[in-house]
Structures are given as structure tokens and as C-alpha cells.
Amino acid sequence: MTSEMPTFALSYTTPFFGPDPDRLVAVAKQADARGFEGFYVPEHVALYPGARIGAWEMPTDLQYLDPLDVLTFVAAHTERLLLGTSVLLLPYHHPVTLAKRLAGIDTLSHGRMRLLAVGVGGLPGEAAAVGVDYTTRGRRADEAIEVLRRLWAEDENGATFHGEFFNFDNIFSYPKPLAESGLPIHVGGSSPAAARRAGRAGDGWLPGGMLKDDERQALWELVRSTAREAGRDPEAISYTRMGSLEMTAEGVEKMAAQGVTRIIVAAPAGEPEEQCAELAEFASRFGLG
């Protein structure tokens, strides 16, 4: 496992900060200027009374902007930030249209759509709202990952796929991502199924924050063992973790020793000037940029 120091990325949550474009631009520009590697935004497609994450009942008026719209906007106002989702709910998107949207963002941002993390969702009512059988969402995600990669590959015959949920022959999708290998697909989730998916098919793994250290480490070992069983190199799979702006150098070193390659910290609260000052202090403390 790597022991190199992780890179740092910023998570910006529109349900907390609202849809204010000026605040979004100010925070993104500060992250860009201060040496943060990437900028992540979350997704929920639809909420409903009683929707819960763990014990927390989600208010129905949370303003989850479309993450790909947000990232396109951020790309237009920044120069180097990599663009990420934490996480895009893959079963709720058709992969043929999604392939074009993602490749378009990558093209318009000069190749910065590099931190796509996908998950399967945990709200049955959200799945029902978009016409997806909740019990099939894992299988849908598996197929969608394969569809995306086939559509992004350059093939004179186009892409063909026949699965349980998606079927097409000789389809051409443009633009392509700028990298010939397509876009990296990181798998998000804190379940054994998500860890196995990351090992089988992911370029990286992004667990949630509701795990104990030993549980998280066991899942990371499951990612790596699954990759080996699938004939893949586990060293090629990146490991992204959530951290905090208050974390210490010792905490970062501990994560690095566990194999973590990237740490995401949440944008701070407060007015935009306060947010930018906190980001500047964090960047200075860890020598970013």
C-alpha cells in the first residue's frame, strides 16, 4: 500500500449553502487558488417525507442542485480544480445520456472531469420517483459502469451492449473524454457490495463517513482482495476518505498509512469571506499549492 501523503479536495454541499452562485464561485475560486486538488458536489434527485439517512430524517426542502450542472458552472470559473461527485446516484441516470454529459464536461473543462464517484442510493422512494426498482439498483449500476466505458471507447463499429437493463447495437457517442482511457469511475459506498464493486470495476473507492475505523479498513481489504480475484492490480485503485478542516498532520499521516490517497474536507460554514479565510489557513497548514 502507498504511504505517500494524500491530496486534498473540497466538498461543497448546496443543501447547506443554498444555490447562491456568487458564494459557489468564491469558494471554488479560493479552493482553486489555494492548491486543493478537486471539488466535489453531492446528489439527490428527489426527496419525500420520511426519507432518512441513518437516524436523520431529511427535510424535504433541501436544495440539491444537479451536480453536473454545478460542476459545469465551477469549471467555467476555475482553472485547475478536478471535478467530482460524492456521489452521483448512477442507477437513476440512463448511461447513454450520462456518457455524453460527462464527456462534454470533460471536454469543456480541458480534461478535469476526473473524480466521478458513483453510488446506488439508499432511499427507496427516490428510486420509485424515477421509475427504478430499488432492489435492482446494484445490478443497474454494474451495467451502467460497463455501458459508460464502452461508449467512451473509440471503436469504428461503435458500442454494442446487451444486458438486463440496457440494450443497443453499434451506437456512437461523442464527444469522447480527452483521455483515451475514458473517465475514471470511483465507487462510493460503505457496504460490502460497494467494496466488491470497487474492486471488480472501480478506479477508486470512496466510503461514507458512518463507519468505525476497523470496519472501514476491513472493507478496504475487501476492495483489494476482490481486485486481485478479478485479475486487477489493487495498487491501481485509489482510496478517498472524508476528513475535516480541523484534522491534524498526525491524522493525515495515519490515513496515509492506511492507504488513503485523497482526503475530502467539507467547505466551512460562515460568510464567503470567512469560508475563504478558513480554506487559506488549511492550505497553508498543509503546504498546498
Side-chain angles (χ1 to χ4, degrees):
M1 296 184 186
T2 181
S3 59
E4 296 180 2
M5 293 304 292
T7 59
F8 291 94
L10 189 70
S11 174
Y12 187 95
T13 307
T14 58
F16 184 78
F17 296 116
D20 181 357
D22 295 331
R23 178 192 288 267
L24 174 62
V25 168
V27 173
K29 282 187 171 181
Q30 179 74 328
D32 198 36
R34 295 295 178 176
F36 285 83
E37 179 196 28
F39 192 91
Y40 284 85
V41 289
E43 176 177 50
H44 274 291
V45 177
L47 298 177
Y48 53 93
R52 292 180 178 275
I53 297 178
W56 178 55
E57 183 170 341
M58 304 174 72
T60 56
D61 60 352
L62 293 177
Q63 299 200 49
Y64 279 95
L65 275 66
D66 181 282
L68 302 188
D69 290 346
V70 173
L71 293 176
T72 303
F73 186 71
V74 167
H77 289 87
T78 57
E79 296 181 358
R80 46 166 300 281
L81 278 177
L82 301 184
L83 308 172
T85 54
S86 58
V87 293
L88 188 80
L89 301 179
L90 187 55
Y92 308 154
H93 296 267
H94 197 292
V96 174
T97 53
L98 182 62
K100 181 177 289 288
R101 290 188 71 194
L102 290 166
I105 295 172
D106 192 60
T107 299
L108 295 174
S109 67
H110 299 288
R112 290 192 278 146
M113 187 68 236
R114 306 296 296 171
L115 300 178
L116 170 69
V118 301
V120 300
L123 301 178
E126 187 172 28
V130 294
V132 170
D133 180 348
Y134 186 73
T135 65
T136 69
R137 69 198 193 286
R139 302 199 306 276
R140 283 178 178 271
D142 290 337
E143 283 197 14
I145 289 171
E146 179 62 25
V147 168
L148 290 172
R149 288 184 169 143
R150 292 197 188 185
L151 290 169
W152 290 332
E154 190 68 54
D155 189 325
E156 62 181 11
N157 297 313
T160 295
F161 185 88
H162 297 289
E164 181 181 359
F165 305 102
F166 309 108
N167 288 276
F168 51 83
D169 291 287
N170 308 112
I171 294 298
F172 293 82
S173 178
Y174 289 92
K176 305 292 187 188
L178 294 191
E180 290 186 9
S181 58
L183 302 182
I185 299 176
H186 305 257
V187 174
S190 300
S191 67
R196 287 190 290 267
R197 183 172 295 112
R200 285 194 315 270
D203 296 290
W205 180 52
L206 170 57
M210 303 300 290
L211 293 169
K212 297 178 181 177
D213 282 347
D214 58 342
E215 295 172 331
R216 191 180 292 108
Q217 201 61 25
L219 287 173
W220 175 231
E221 291 304 324
L222 179 58
V223 172
R224 293 170 60 81
S225 64
T226 303
R228 283 190 291 268
E229 291 167 5
R232 305 180 69 215
D233 179 8
E235 301 297 333
I237 300 175
S238 68
Y239 179 11
T240 302
R241 279 270 303 276
M242 299 302 298
S244 73
L245 288 171
E246 294 75 34
M247 65 192 312
T248 63
E250 291 75 17
V252 172
E253 291 170 359
K254 179 180 178 181
M255 284 192 181
Q258 295 171 344
V260 174
T261 52
R262 180 179 299 105
I263 297 173
I264 303 174
V265 297
E271 294 303 310
E273 296 79 6
E274 298 173 283
Q275 291 178 287
C276 289
E278 285 196 49
L279 293 179
E281 189 280 329
F282 182 88
S284 176
R285 179 153 41 97
F286 286 101
L288 307 188

